[in-house]
Amino acid sequence: RGRAQVCPLFLHAGGSTRPAQPGLLPGTPGTGPEERCTVERADASLTYSGFLQRFAFSRPVIIRGATDNSVFQALCAKDKLLAAFGDHLVRLSTANTYSYRKVDVPFQEYVEHLLKPQDPATLGSDTLYFFGDNNFTEWGPLFQKYVPPPFHIPGTRGAYSFGIAGSGSGVPFHWHGPGYSEVIFGRKRWFLYPPDKTPHFHPNETTLAWLHHTYPTLPPGERPLECTIHPGEVLYFPDRWWHATLNLDTSVFISTFLG
């Protein structure tokens, strides 16, 4: 664990390939986002029975080294993705909690013109986010190369949601069924509350704005579980857990929703 992996996909207008350095996002408390992790971690020694007993129905966990997605990661390089999907339409949605505007644009246009850092002053309803709404006929050959997390919830099947988003972007607090999230490139910071503890947030405020305005005012007992996941790590969240995300770098990520 440690250094973020940066893909050529994430060149900004200036052409720099340097990842965002920890702590440089405005409003990030302390000296770096990795200083605080209150989500339990497990490694490849975690068994299926241990997962079911300790985490599946009760609390989130970050699992390291359970799968090898180096092949999938290589296919997510800029040249590979643009060659395969550049002229395909992708559906973007707004980064707010309860209502979503959808916009269809060519993937190449999204990468070259819309994939940029989050403006802290922009509302969630004005922030376009590429995550989910994937055309499985078109993206299926890529998803077939993804190795999903090894543990399932009895009676469920997994469905993939693939995304690419700029630094400082993310989705504000919301909840749904259980699932996994894996970062392929970049780093993603997570904030989580159990189902019986509704977080204080505005549904049209971005996660970055929430981190600026609300997070610093929270007493220690009211802070969420939180952690930053890196390539090779998978976060599991149980059913109906509130969660918000913040991409610390321009990132590629994929979730496996269990339903």
Side-chain angles (χ1 to χ4, degrees):
R1 216 167 65 82
R3 188 179 303 276
Q5 300 182 55
V6 179
C7 172
L9 175 65
F10 308 136
L11 294 175
H12 297 309
S16 172
T17 59
R18 291 184 302 164
Q21 294 302 307
L24 294 189
L25 284 177
T28 301
T31 58
E34 296 176 282
E35 66 181 20
R36 181 181 295 110
C37 183
T38 51
V39 178
E40 187 170 347
R41 292 183 181 273
D43 58 26
S45 66
L46 179 66
T47 63
Y48 181 45
S49 61
F51 169 76
L52 290 178
Q53 292 170 8
R54 297 170 55 193
F55 304 111
F57 307 104
S58 58
R59 63 186 188 273
V61 62
I62 297 170
I63 306 171
R64 174 78 181 180
T67 57
D68 178 3
N69 271 302
S70 55
V71 172
F72 182 75
Q73 185 186 61
L75 292 172
C76 291
K78 179 181 181 180
D79 58 343
K80 299 288 187 182
L81 285 179
L82 288 178
F85 307 107
D87 60 350
H88 292 194
L89 291 178
V90 292
R91 176 156 292 180
L92 313 179
S93 58
T94 51
N96 50 354
T97 298
Y98 295 123
S99 62
Y100 304 98
R101 177 169 58 95
K102 305 289 186 179
V103 178
D104 293 339
V105 301
F107 179 66
Q108 184 163 352
E109 179 180 336
Y110 175 72
V111 170
E112 294 180 350
H113 301 292
L114 299 176
L115 188 61
K116 55 187 178 182
Q118 175 75 46
D119 181 345
T122 301
L123 295 175
S125 58
D126 296 323
T127 299
L128 292 175
Y129 198 73
F130 174 41
F131 177 58
D133 284 318
N134 307 118
N135 183 317
F136 281 82
T137 300
E138 296 177 349
W139 291 82
L142 176 66
F143 294 162
Q144 288 174 8
K145 301 299 184 181
Y146 178 66
V147 182
F151 307 132
H152 66 279
I153 304 295
T156 68
R157 298 179 62 184
Y160 297 143
S161 285
F162 178 74
I164 304 170
S167 62
S169 66
V171 180
F173 281 105
H174 63 289
W175 61 265
H176 43 68
Y180 294 95
S181 180
E182 180 168 357
V183 172
I184 306 304
F185 289 104
R187 299 166 298 154
K188 184 183 286 284
R189 190 174 178 186
W190 281 73
F191 306 91
L192 304 107
Y193 283 101
D196 61 352
K197 192 170 184 179
T198 303
H200 176 67
F201 71 102
H202 190 287
N204 201 27
E205 184 180 56
T206 64
T207 304
L208 186 59
W210 175 86
L211 188 64
H212 286 175
H213 304 144
T214 303
Y215 183 99
T217 71
L218 297 175
E222 295 183 15
R223 286 186 174 178
L225 292 179
E226 60 181 284
C227 207
T228 297
I229 61 171
H230 298 246
E233 295 181 324
V234 178
L235 172 76
Y236 168 77
F237 51 90
D239 187 30
R240 296 177 182 263
W241 271 66
W242 289 94
H243 53 279
T245 62
L246 181 70
N247 297 297
L248 300 183
D249 310 299
T250 303
S251 302
V252 172
F253 42 90
I254 186 167
S255 291
T256 306
F257 293 115
L258 304 174

